[in-house]
Structures are given as C-alpha cells and as structure tokens.
Amino acid sequence: MAQPVLALGCALVTGAGCVWYLPALADLRAGAADRPPSRRTAAFACLTGWGTVAAVGLTLLVTASWWAPCAVTAAGGTAVAVLRVRAALRRAGERRETARLWAGLAPGGPLPPGSVRRGAVAALAVALPVAVAAAVLVPAAGVTLAR
C-alpha cells in the first residue's frame, strides 16, 4: 500500500479519535486539584497515543522510507505503555489509600460495593409510587388539604 494512502488513513482515524482525546484534554486542563494524578497520567497517555498516530501520518507523508514511521510508532507506543502502567500503579495506590481512610471512619470498614440494604430499597419501591400518585391525583381532584 502506498504511503500517502496510509497517511490519509492515519488522518481519518486521528480525526475520529476525538471521542477519546478531547475528554482526555479536558482532564488535563481541569488541573491537579480537580483530578486525581492517576486520571491525569492516563489522560496524558491517551493524548500521547493519539499524537503518535498523527505523527506517524505526517511521517508517512514526509519520508519515502519505512524506518522513520516505524521508529515514531515504536517510540510513541513505548511512551504510551509506560504512561498507562504508571497510571494503573497510581490508581492502585489511590484505591488502597481510599480503603485505608474508609476503614478509619467506619468500625466495620466500608460496605462492599453493590451491597445496598434491602429494606431501604423496598421502602423506596413502595413510597415513591405512592408519593408520585398523591402529588398528581390530589391537585387533579381539586381536594384541598388545609382550609
């Protein structure tokens, strides 16, 4: 396949990848106080990956040899892999820290994920439709509650 065709493919894929790199850019622009370090590192890895695809497309247009696009791909892929591993390690540390903080607050530790008290769910399942029906039917019937 000719290099200009591959460059066009890289440009189209990079343009379509905006659903990934625009939210990552928003995470980076939000600032360190607003996003955890793991999320910012993952966003930087995402931008590095999409930047690599764009750089490969440009390299395919500029050079006639294959070693330059391959070198850009190898360098960018390595950088993305290192950043993603670093983000995963940071996220694991953040989860451990969160678990430690929750364990200090509650005597039995935090509730396991997905464990919702069935009584609360049953009460909401009964009370919510009754409240909605009362809110709709009482004014519609013209009943006044206080005179």
Side-chain angles (χ1 to χ4, degrees):
M1 189 176 300
Q3 285 183 336
V5 174
L6 290 175
L8 178 64
C10 286
L12 291 175
V13 168
T14 302
C18 67
V19 296
W20 288 287
Y21 62 74
L22 289 179
L25 184 62
D27 281 345
L28 284 180
R29 289 191 52 144
D34 209 23
R35 300 288 193 273
S38 65
R39 189 162 171 176
R40 291 176 51 81
T41 306
F44 189 62
C46 178
L47 290 175
T48 303
W50 286 106
T52 299
V53 174
V56 167
L58 287 174
T59 308
L60 285 168
L61 281 177
V62 173
T63 63
S65 65
W66 285 100
W67 68 268
C70 290
V72 170
T73 303
T78 303
V80 169
V82 167
L83 287 169
R84 279 304 297 160
V85 167
R86 186 174 180 190
L89 292 174
R90 279 187 172 181
R91 179 67 182 143
E94 290 167 2
R95 285 186 176 174
R96 282 192 303 272
E97 178 69 16
T98 302
R100 186 187 64 77
L101 292 173
W102 275 104
L105 289 176
L111 291 174
S115 67
V116 178
R117 299 178 191 230
R118 291 185 181 165
V121 172
L124 281 176
V126 171
L128 190 60
V130 171
V132 169
V136 171
L137 293 178
V138 169
V143 177
T144 56
L145 298 177
R147 286 197 179 245

